[in-house]
Amino acid sequence: MNPAAEVQEWVSLFGLNTLGVSATARYYIEVKSLDDLHRALAWAQNRGCKTLVLGSGSNLVFSGDVDGLVIHMQIPGRYWEQVDETGATLVLGAGENWHQAVLYAAGAGYRGIENLALIPGTAGAAPVQNIGAYGVELCDTLVSVTALDRESGQTLRLDNAACDFTYRDSVFKRSPGRYIITEIRLRLSPTKPLQLGYRELEDYLESAASKELTALKVAEAVIAIRRRKLPDPETIPNAGSFFKNPVVPVAQFKDIQSLYPKVVGHPYNGAIKLAAAWLIDQCGWKGYRNSRVGVHSRQALVLINHAGGSGHEVLELAAAIRASVQSRFGVTLEMEPGVVGT
């Protein structure tokens, strides 16, 4: 690849973010290999350009145009290694569609990531957020991440411990721009117990005998539940869950519970993880909308862009929601999506 010939100028990012926000990249390039990535980074360095690595744009808000080089990560690859009687390791290129990878693994009879079906995004973005749903997180199966360390210029393989995963967080999120993930490895098993602890999942699958359940059937159940609750970004632009479920000390939870007995919370690492959707709903935001942006009528965690709103309008709505939850419950909500742009 000759990067100078591949770099485009003044490229619209409207179709490259699921919130449907209008923004423009000063420079833009697609990369499909590690060599492509090195050349793109060299091109940017020679011109003093900032860079933004973009996957499917499902977990970010463009607050304005991007004055630099947008590197659209499209490195492919999906194969098995270390296959034995205990399981197999699924290797995914960073540009692989995450949902399709889940279906591929479940269809092959391997368990471990079926609860993460229909989460939008790419395989390379999944470790950054440590994506999770229905009692399962990516870190439960992730063996290692291959990434380019921009500080050293070396390509490294970071094991699970080095990724320093916590709830919706990782070393990649805490060191933005340092690592560019090119490949991930997941250890899956044909016999691992299915994770069915969430009430919605249990209710959906209650008619099926446990011995008849497969990873694919669980994935299909998760898909049905998510489609019932969450809007399709193709029809209603959104970035999925906009806020993390806040984790508070047990004493603070009891204080809140004394005033609001129906507060929703679950034990989490010696503390209590509150349901952010419940907090937002209690503040009257569920179903709210102004002329351009709003909150989904069936899921208070999802902010929608129903009429061509800007990134600033989405962020203003998010700030108002955070302020009302803080005022009423004394709880600070943290945004899940990243914010980029001028």
Side-chain angles (χ1 to χ4, degrees):
M1 179 189 82
N2 177 0
E6 299 291 338
V7 171
Q8 302 174 52
E9 296 188 56
W10 306 114
V11 173
S12 171
L13 300 172
F14 176 78
L16 296 176
N17 72 103
T18 61
L19 254 175
V21 167
S22 293
T24 300
R26 177 66 181 86
Y27 301 105
Y28 169 90
I29 191 169
E30 297 176 356
V31 299
K32 299 182 179 180
S33 69
L34 183 58
D35 285 343
D36 285 354
L37 177 60
H38 279 292
R39 285 190 284 261
L41 292 173
W43 185 94
Q45 184 175 18
N46 289 339
R47 287 156 183 79
C49 282
K50 295 180 180 178
T51 57
L52 169 68
V53 179
L54 181 66
S56 65
S58 61
N59 197 45
L60 57 77
V61 181
F62 284 115
S63 61
D65 295 333
V66 180
D67 185 19
L69 176 65
V70 171
I71 299 173
H72 194 185
M73 177 61 68
Q74 297 187 29
I75 295 177
R78 186 172 69 185
Y79 62 93
W80 299 97
E81 64 181 21
Q82 297 179 324
V83 180
D84 56 38
E85 65 277 3
T86 66
T89 299
L90 178 60
V91 185
L92 298 171
E96 287 288 317
N97 178 278
W98 172 256
H99 173 62
Q100 293 302 318
V102 171
L103 295 182
Y104 172 73
Y110 287 99
R111 302 176 175 189
I113 56 175
E114 57 278 358
N115 292 41
L116 307 181
L118 211 63
I119 294 179
T122 58
V128 178
Q129 190 76 2
N130 187 22
I131 59 173
Y134 300 103
V136 172
E137 293 182 314
L138 182 77
C139 63
D140 299 333
T141 57
L142 187 132
V143 176
S144 66
V145 165
T146 302
L148 175 65
D149 182 354
R150 298 190 65 181
E151 286 189 2
S152 67
Q154 300 298 308
T155 298
L156 310 174
R157 185 177 291 189
L158 290 80
D159 65 13
N160 189 298
C163 295
D164 197 18
F165 291 117
T166 57
Y167 172 60
R168 301 296 178 273
D169 203 3
S170 69
V171 68
F172 311 108
K173 191 172 183 180
R174 291 190 293 273
S175 303
R178 176 175 176 178
Y179 299 101
I180 300 178
I181 296 171
T182 59
E183 191 176 66
I184 70 172
R185 282 173 168 76
L186 308 171
R187 186 65 181 176
L188 307 178
S189 165
T191 58
K192 180 179 176 138
L194 297 167
Q195 299 300 309
L196 308 175
Y198 265 63
R199 180 63 180 272
E200 286 178 301
L201 203 49
E202 283 184 316
D203 290 347
Y204 191 92
L205 294 167
E206 64 181 352
S207 60
S210 59
K211 64 181 180 181
E212 297 174 350
L213 286 179
T214 64
L216 188 57
K217 286 184 178 179
V218 173
E220 289 169 348
V222 169
I223 291 167
I225 293 168
R226 290 180 69 91
R227 283 180 172 160
R228 186 174 63 205
K229 293 173 53 179
L230 303 172
D232 182 352
E234 294 290 329
T235 56
I236 303 177
N238 71 89
S241 296
F242 209 87
F243 300 101
K244 295 181 181 181
N245 289 320
V247 178
V248 300
V250 173
Q252 184 179 359
F253 173 73
K254 290 181 177 178
D255 288 342
I256 296 171
Q257 193 177 44
S258 68
L259 297 173
Y260 305 95
K262 294 184 179 180
V263 61
V264 179
H266 304 281
Y268 181 80
N269 291 344
I272 302 294
K273 184 189 292 183
L274 299 175
W278 187 90
L279 300 174
I280 296 167
D281 192 7
Q282 295 306 300
C283 292
W285 289 104
K286 189 176 182 179
Y288 166 86
R289 65 167 59 192
N290 59 32
S291 61
R292 309 240 285 178
V293 300
V295 180
H296 194 248
S297 60
R298 293 198 303 272
Q299 175 51 267
L301 275 180
V302 177
L303 272 58
I304 60 173
N305 184 8
H306 61 84
S310 68
H312 283 296
E313 288 172 299
V314 173
L315 294 173
E316 286 172 359
L317 174 58
I321 292 170
R322 292 183 70 205
S324 65
V325 170
Q326 178 71 48
S327 175
R328 183 165 182 176
F329 297 103
V331 174
T332 301
L333 293 182
E334 183 179 346
M335 284 175 41
E336 282 201 28
V339 179
V340 296
T342 53

